Amino acid sequence: MRYIKIILFCLISINVFASNIKTTLEKNLIQNFEKRGIKDLNIEVTIIKKVPALKGYYLVKAVITDKRNNKKIDQFLLTNGNVLIPDLIDISKGYSILKDMIFSYDITNIDTSKLTLFYGNKNAKNVIVKVSDFECPFCRKDNEYLESKLNSVNKKDIAIYMLNYPLSIHKKAMLYAKIFEAGMALGKNFMDQLYSGKYDNMDDNRIIETFANLSGKKMEFEKLVNSKEISDRINDQMKYAEQLGVNSTPIIFINGRKVEGYNTQLIDKGFTLLK
């Protein structure tokens, strides 16, 4: 399916008017894939809105189903029917117009039952989900910025959940996720300490001992941090993240709206949309 995404950004050779952009785009995408040996696809295009900054272009959503492999992807595209544009950057403001437009229309329903509530009220009308790796540099910046925004929101009106996604490229990431979950199970939130970076060069056993002492329940913490219960919880969260299409960090979902990467402009926009 990754190959399909790449092909989506090729040229389409047939002229098209806005009135029939949907049917023409569906037809030409299928032809384009077939030329590359990819068959048995079903493509459904929905035209969402015109692109204000680019005359004749539209934001569309293409739902591509690979019937042979029983897989489906949703892809937002900028197109005039002839050309697909991978992104559109506002140079003066320094942000992606495509991501800004997608943010308003791409809403994901997230099951929080296996996630970890670490801030606010579980019955709140606003839900934020952090997909994060405690050793990821941009996750650390993301966390700091998100915390700065919480002063503008009543704690009872918001629930923030952690969806652990420790990346294999970070040596301490899985350990930090286990420490976080073990701490939360004992009523201790070690999030800020884990994001701080001060433990990155410390021996694993010493890190565990340090947080065990901080927990106030040393023996219970040490048993819990290495338990199957905590390991399974993190693995379940990682599998769920992948079901949501996650393959990198940081990602924040603000009432289902996705902020991918460290993007303060979209975080700000998300907070203006809180209920």
Side-chain angles (χ1 to χ4, degrees):
M1 295 301 281
R2 183 178 296 176
Y3 185 50
I4 290 176
K5 287 185 179 181
I6 294 171
I7 294 173
L8 283 174
F9 300 128
C10 64
L11 298 182
I12 298 175
S13 60
I14 298 178
N15 292 328
V16 62
F17 297 100
S19 60
N20 65 352
I21 187 173
K22 169 181 161 62
T23 55
T24 303
L25 187 58
E26 290 171 349
K27 177 182 176 181
N28 287 321
L29 284 174
I30 288 173
Q31 289 179 349
N32 223 303
F33 287 128
E34 288 179 345
K35 287 178 182 178
R36 291 158 175 79
I38 303 175
K39 299 182 179 181
D40 295 325
L41 296 180
N42 181 69
I43 300 178
E44 178 69 26
V45 171
T46 301
I47 299 174
I48 296 175
K49 66 175 297 185
K50 289 183 178 181
V51 180
L54 201 60
K55 186 177 180 180
Y57 279 76
Y58 295 80
L59 175 69
V60 307
K61 181 180 181 180
V63 179
I64 304 171
T65 304
D66 182 345
K67 293 180 284 187
R68 181 178 299 177
N69 297 306
N70 195 28
K71 292 183 179 180
K72 183 174 76 171
I73 61 169
D74 297 348
Q75 190 80 21
F76 286 88
L77 308 165
L78 295 177
T79 181
N80 66 355
N82 300 312
V83 177
L84 300 178
I85 299 178
D87 205 348
L88 191 62
I89 307 298
D90 185 320
I91 298 174
S92 64
K93 297 179 180 178
Y95 73 89
S96 164
I97 294 174
L98 175 61
K99 288 182 179 179
D100 185 72
M101 293 179 71
I102 290 173
F103 187 76
S104 298
Y105 295 97
D106 186 18
I107 300 177
T108 303
N109 292 319
I110 299 180
D111 178 6
T112 60
S113 61
K114 293 184 179 180
L115 310 188
T116 305
L117 178 71
F118 67 87
Y119 182 91
N121 169 21
K122 68 177 181 179
N123 298 315
K125 53 191 175 182
N126 297 295
V127 175
I128 295 177
V129 174
K130 287 179 55 174
V131 184
S132 194
D133 169 329
F134 286 103
E135 200 178 355
C136 161
F138 286 102
C139 294
R140 290 171 174 176
K141 294 178 68 175
D142 214 47
N143 177 67
E144 185 177 350
Y145 191 77
L146 181 61
E147 286 189 344
S148 74
K149 300 292 294 182
L150 295 180
N151 295 328
S152 63
V153 183
N154 191 320
K155 192 173 182 178
K156 70 178 183 180
D157 292 333
I158 195 166
I160 308 182
Y161 291 85
M162 171 64 84
L163 200 174
N164 286 288
Y165 196 71
L167 300 173
S168 59
I169 59 172
H170 296 140
K171 294 180 180 180
K172 303 291 187 185
M174 179 59 79
L175 174 61
Y176 288 167
K178 289 180 178 179
I179 289 171
F180 172 74
E181 289 295 336
M184 291 301 298
L186 297 177
K188 295 287 186 179
N189 186 349
F190 296 131
M191 178 170 288
D192 289 342
Q193 294 99 310
L194 292 167
Y195 277 127
S196 70
K198 65 186 292 186
Y199 305 99
D200 291 355
N201 297 314
M202 190 181 291
D203 175 77
D204 287 3
N205 290 329
R206 188 180 169 195
I207 295 172
I208 292 172
E209 183 180 6
T210 299
F211 282 96
N213 290 329
L214 290 172
S215 74
K217 300 177 181 179
K218 188 175 189 296
M219 292 181 64
E220 191 175 353
F221 180 90
E222 289 176 342
K223 181 179 179 180
L224 193 58
V225 77
N226 291 311
S227 69
K228 185 177 185 298
E229 173 191 350
I230 293 296
S231 181
D232 287 349
R233 182 174 180 82
I234 294 168
N235 287 332
D236 286 345
Q237 290 185 10
M238 293 178 70
K239 288 176 184 177
Y240 183 55
E242 288 166 1
Q243 290 175 22
L244 294 173
V246 170
N247 57 22
S248 63
T249 59
I251 292 173
I252 298 178
F253 292 93
I254 305 175
N255 284 342
R257 292 180 170 88
K258 185 179 182 181
V259 180
E260 196 165 11
Y262 179 57
N263 189 325
T264 58
Q265 181 256 335
L266 284 186
I267 293 174
D268 289 348
K269 185 171 183 177
F271 268 76
T272 66
L273 297 174
L274 294 180
K275 301 169 187 176

